[in-house]
Amino acid sequence: MYNIKTIKAKIHRSEFGKNILTLSSGTALAQVIPFLFYPIIARIFTPAEFGLLATLTAIITIITEFSSGKYELGILIAKTKRDAVNLVGLTLFLSFLILAFIYLILQLFLADFLSQTLHESQLKQWLFICPIAAFSIIIYNTYNEWCVRNGYFKKLAINKIVNASAITLSKLFLGFVKVFSQGLVMGDVIGRLISAGVCVFRAMQKDAAAFKEISIVRIKKVAKEFIEFPKFIMPGRLLNVVGQQLPVLFLGFYFNSVVVGYFSMTMLVFSVPVNVISFAVRDVFRQRANEEFKNTGNCRSIYIKVLKILSIIAIIGAIFLILLLPFIFSIFLGEQWTTAAYYAQILTIPTLLSFVASPLFDVLIITNRLKINLLWQIYYAVITFLSLWIGCVLYNNVIAALYFFAIGRGSAYLLSIILSHHYAKGNLLKIKK
């Protein structure tokens, strides 16, 4: 029989357990902060305002994925710290150039087209924030990768708290003072800028000497050495985020911003349980799986351990969420969000499958199965597009679109679990063959 003291002792003796506990605590607090303010923010801003932010976020997320070439993902597996720090330099320099170009394209050529196509009249005047927010996110993500590589899990946890706090409190403040016509949108971008600034400060404070190793010659070297990341990982991740944002784009095109607002609130509420545990486990799992794979040629042991933990949590979560979602939405967010509760019930199963699958899928990067990763991303984007097309075009019904979307997404996440389990076997798989 295990008592609480015994369990705590085991956690503290296990470096893996301690790291998960540190990140889970930080991530939990980072999610609790916006969660506590959702009832206020949801009452200050309308579903249509959330719809505008969701549309802008879709654009921001898409341009974020390809502007860095995904070179930041090489930071974890770089052989030397010098290579890793030059990957940081490469990521930020490349992103700045590409996003500056995107800013001109959005302003000169795409503003009217996107506003008309997505049925969002205010989109045109707010497109300028997209490259700014995207660069802030890239700084944040790059610093996170640096922390994971160096085992700075406490700093990583604090980083998540700062990011969530800055975004949430900026939205809240601008919601009250009414300085801007779209306080929700402006609050989001200001919060991200603050978060990025804190990342730069903390990186220079801790590792200023390491960043002096950045040079044009070394940046060129790592750009060539890690060229497979923009060739295979970036297209795959781009397909992934396009697949993630397709619901917002489809719902905006075929219906209206209010429907988009309901959907985005559903995703915000789901992000709390998903991010608290799944993202924390992912960061620790990647480091541990990477070390295990380097030492033994496979990472099956840690994979199975994490798979079991996430699966048990997902099963319990499914029962809890399906029963209580209408109550949570109506009491917590207000009556204007009751429709979003019904959306959430439909999307519970694929969300929990994502909760299990997402942390484990980095096995394909660790084991260098980049082409398999790309093929899965293609399937993910295509099945998402087809499921939404059937619901929106053939049925012309929001609820039908959500049901088909749930089925398509669920199939993609099941496939990702099968693939990641297969390749986690590594040399065991070769021996068996």
Side-chain angles (χ1 to χ4, degrees):
M1 289 287 291
Y2 287 112
N3 55 35
I4 294 174
K5 289 184 178 179
T6 306
I7 293 170
K8 283 184 177 179
K10 280 182 170 290
I11 289 173
H12 285 290
R13 283 197 300 267
S14 165
E15 189 65 26
F16 181 71
K18 280 200 296 184
N19 289 337
I20 286 185
L21 189 60
T22 299
L23 270 184
S24 295
S25 301
T27 309
L29 184 55
Q31 295 304 310
V32 166
I33 291 168
F35 191 75
L36 290 175
F37 289 105
Y38 278 168
I40 303 172
I41 293 173
R43 287 169 171 83
I44 294 174
F45 302 106
T46 65
E49 289 174 298
F50 274 93
L52 173 61
L53 177 59
T55 303
L56 285 165
T57 301
I59 297 169
I60 291 165
T61 306
I62 290 169
I63 65 176
T64 297
E65 284 303 310
F66 68 80
S67 59
S68 70
K70 302 317 294 178
Y71 275 113
E72 70 271 21
L73 295 179
I75 293 170
L76 173 65
I77 62 174
K79 293 179 181 177
T80 67
K81 193 169 186 177
R82 176 183 285 183
D83 284 349
V85 80
N86 277 279
L87 281 168
V88 172
L90 172 62
T91 300
L92 298 182
F93 178 70
L94 181 64
S95 301
F96 181 83
L97 290 180
I98 292 176
L99 288 171
F101 177 72
I102 289 172
Y103 174 83
L104 294 175
I105 297 297
L106 287 174
Q107 294 299 311
L108 297 176
F109 303 107
L110 294 179
D112 289 325
F113 171 76
L114 290 173
S115 294
Q116 293 170 12
T117 301
L118 298 175
H119 301 149
E120 182 55 78
S121 59
Q122 296 190 62
L123 185 62
K124 179 180 178 180
Q125 69 187 78
W126 289 102
L127 278 175
F128 77 93
I129 73 163
C130 294
I132 299 170
F135 192 61
S136 299
I137 292 169
I138 289 168
I139 292 173
Y140 172 79
N141 290 341
T142 303
Y143 180 65
N144 279 2
E145 293 297 320
W146 180 256
C147 288
V148 171
R149 175 189 172 83
N150 293 290
Y152 300 159
F153 292 109
K154 287 184 180 179
K155 290 184 178 295
L156 190 56
I158 292 171
N159 201 36
K160 292 175 185 292
I161 295 169
V162 170
N163 184 63
S165 301
I167 294 171
T168 302
L169 295 177
S170 295
K171 290 176 182 177
L172 190 65
F173 176 75
L174 293 179
F176 279 119
V177 300
K178 304 292 183 184
V179 176
F180 301 99
S181 60
Q182 287 291 337
L184 187 66
V185 171
M186 205 63 198
D188 188 83
V189 70
I190 289 174
R192 294 190 187 282
L193 283 169
I194 293 170
S195 175
V198 171
C199 288
V200 172
F201 174 78
R202 291 176 66 83
M204 297 308 297
Q205 186 182 44
K206 176 73 175 178
D207 294 303
F211 287 104
K212 290 179 181 178
E213 297 286 336
I214 295 175
S215 69
I216 298 298
V217 173
R218 292 175 188 136
I219 283 177
K220 288 180 179 178
K221 173 183 171 291
V222 295
K224 291 179 181 178
E225 185 178 343
F226 290 85
I227 193 63
E228 288 194 336
F229 282 80
K231 284 175 64 177
F232 296 112
I233 296 296
M234 187 270 286
R237 290 297 179 100
L238 181 59
L239 284 169
N240 183 275
V241 298
V242 168
Q244 288 176 3
Q245 302 306 324
L246 274 176
V248 170
L249 301 176
F250 261 88
L251 295 176
F253 182 80
Y254 286 100
F255 302 103
N256 54 58
S257 60
V258 175
V259 170
V260 173
Y262 288 142
F263 180 84
S264 69
M265 180 56 77
T266 297
M267 294 296 100
L268 279 172
V269 172
F270 274 145
S271 72
V272 176
V274 170
N275 291 352
V276 166
I277 302 171
S278 185
F279 282 14
V281 170
R282 175 179 177 263
D283 287 331
V284 181
F285 170 75
R286 284 190 301 153
Q287 189 203 38
R288 179 69 175 272
N290 186 51
E291 289 179 357
E292 195 171 297
F293 187 79
K294 283 180 178 178
N295 294 331
T296 67
N298 73 84
C299 53
R300 186 178 183 276
S301 175
I302 189 64
Y303 181 94
I304 295 298
K305 180 180 179 180
V306 173
L307 176 62
K308 287 178 180 178
I309 293 170
L310 293 175
S311 298
I312 292 169
I313 295 170
I315 293 168
I316 296 170
I319 298 169
F320 173 79
L321 288 172
I322 290 173
L323 293 176
L324 297 181
L325 277 171
F327 174 78
I328 292 170
F329 272 75
S330 62
I331 300 299
F332 186 66
L333 299 176
E335 292 298 325
Q336 67 171 334
W337 296 102
T338 303
T339 302
Y342 186 43
Y343 288 14
Q345 285 181 309
I346 297 170
L347 299 174
T348 295
I349 300 302
T351 299
L352 290 173
L353 283 171
S354 168
F355 168 83
V356 175
S358 297
L360 301 170
F361 200 59
D362 279 327
V363 163
L364 270 67
I365 295 177
I366 291 167
T367 60
N368 202 32
R369 303 289 179 172
L370 304 187
K371 292 181 181 179
I372 300 297
N373 182 297
L374 178 58
L375 290 173
W376 179 84
Q377 304 289 3
I378 292 170
Y379 175 79
Y380 175 84
V382 170
I383 197 67
T384 300
F385 179 88
L386 288 176
S387 60
L388 288 166
W389 183 82
I390 292 170
C392 292
V393 179
L394 298 186
Y395 284 82
N396 192 29
N397 182 276
V398 175
I399 302 304
L402 292 175
Y403 272 115
F404 281 109
F405 170 70
I407 294 168
R409 274 288 174 85
S411 72
Y413 290 129
L414 281 173
L415 177 60
S416 80
I417 293 171
I418 293 169
L419 288 172
S420 58
H421 176 258
H422 179 74
Y423 290 110
K425 296 175 184 178
N427 57 12
L428 299 176
L429 187 64
K430 293 178 183 177
I431 291 169
K432 190 174 181 180
K433 286 181 179 179

